[in-house]
Amino acid sequence: MQKDTYRTIEIPSEEGLFKDRGSKFLGYAFPLQREEDVKKIIHQLKETHHKARHWCYAWQLGKEQGTITYRTNDDGEPNNSAGQPIYGQLLSKDLTNILVVVVRYFGGTKLGVGGLINAYKSAAELALNAATIVEKTVDVQFKLIFDYQDMNKVMRIIKERKLSIQRQKMEMNCEIEILVRKNEAVAVENALVGLRCLKIKRG
């Protein structure tokens, strides 16, 4: 059976602080739903830490193999010395729909590529250790359309299978939107099709 869960965070993490030879590296983890939100979050951090030198980051989006996208940014640090080590922490903790940013205040001493890799990795790890990681299911949305008189039949299946109702419109023509865990979607669809009194649309 295909994996139908993923690991992420729901609220921003506490700040993680790593120091090396006068430089300070502040790590932050944020839940992420859309790539467009990255710019806004970076902008806010630049306003908060306007005296910092670098704002390096990595993000990953997507809940299943084949839909995963990611990006890393070294923001002026040597190639692959910042964004990639941050991304490595996302991979090691198997996280997605997440952005991790590490803000660097330069302390006057160059750390070298090895020192930078260790610092960015460590600050990202501290931020993720401070975050609350949750496991969620990959869900399929169904829209059920039926007559009011068939309400009890439909609701019985929803209750028996403990399905999550997202939205409902109860009139002469009823509509219910439900979320079904991906690995159970075919079985649930077959049970609903058996009613014959409703139309089903996959979201």
Side-chain angles (χ1 to χ4, degrees):
M1 192 177 280
Q2 252 189 333
K3 185 181 167 197
D4 68 348
T5 59
Y6 63 98
R7 284 157 53 85
T8 190
I9 62 173
E10 290 186 315
I11 57 171
S13 71
E14 297 287 321
E15 177 184 284
L17 171 62
F18 181 81
K19 294 179 181 175
D20 187 1
R21 284 166 276 177
S23 280
K24 286 197 302 183
F25 297 82
L26 306 171
Y28 301 91
F30 300 91
L32 190 67
Q33 299 304 323
R34 307 173 309 155
E35 184 181 341
E36 302 86 83
D37 293 336
V38 173
K39 274 187 183 168
K40 279 187 275 185
I41 294 168
I42 300 292
H43 179 70
Q44 285 165 357
L45 284 173
K46 284 187 173 181
E47 288 195 333
T48 306
H49 298 287
H50 55 275
K51 290 187 176 172
R53 182 75 66 88
H54 303 279
W55 296 264
C56 306
Y57 63 84
W59 57 258
Q60 180 157 288
L61 284 168
K63 300 170 186 175
E64 301 175 90
Q65 284 306 115
T67 68
I68 302 288
T69 55
Y70 74 93
R71 185 159 173 223
T72 65
N73 189 313
D74 295 314
D75 192 36
E77 295 282 35
N79 272 358
N80 299 323
S81 67
Q84 204 58 43
I86 296 169
Y87 184 58
Q89 288 304 299
L90 300 188
L91 294 179
S92 76
K93 293 189 185 297
D94 190 24
L95 294 168
T96 193
N97 287 17
I98 187 169
L99 163 70
V100 173
V101 186
V102 177
V103 179
R104 181 190 184 186
Y105 285 86
F106 184 56
T109 304
K110 290 193 172 180
L111 305 183
V113 170
L116 289 173
I117 289 170
N118 180 58
Y120 281 103
K121 169 187 170 290
S122 299
E125 185 177 20
L126 288 167
L128 293 173
N129 287 345
T132 303
I133 293 169
V134 294
E135 186 166 77
K136 294 187 163 191
T137 56
V138 179
D139 296 323
V140 177
Q141 187 185 63
F142 289 118
K143 187 186 219 178
L144 313 179
I145 302 161
F146 55 93
D147 292 336
Y148 188 78
Q149 67 199 37
D150 297 310
M151 165 87 68
N152 288 342
K153 297 178 195 169
V154 176
M155 292 308 290
R156 190 172 69 243
I157 288 180
I158 288 173
K159 280 184 182 142
E160 277 171 5
R161 295 189 173 264
K162 299 181 174 67
L163 302 175
S164 168
I165 295 176
Q166 295 300 290
R167 199 176 65 82
Q168 52 189 19
K169 187 180 86 178
M170 299 305 184
E171 293 167 10
M172 287 311 289
N173 289 322
C174 301
E175 285 182 13
I176 294 181
E177 285 178 11
I178 57 171
L179 282 182
V180 181
R181 187 169 171 168
K182 189 170 184 187
N183 282 345
E184 296 165 5
V186 172
V188 168
E189 191 169 12
N190 288 342
L192 290 166
V193 165
L195 289 180
R196 299 186 190 285
C197 61
L198 56 77
K199 278 200 295 188
I200 306 169
K201 290 181 182 173
R202 272 199 185 220

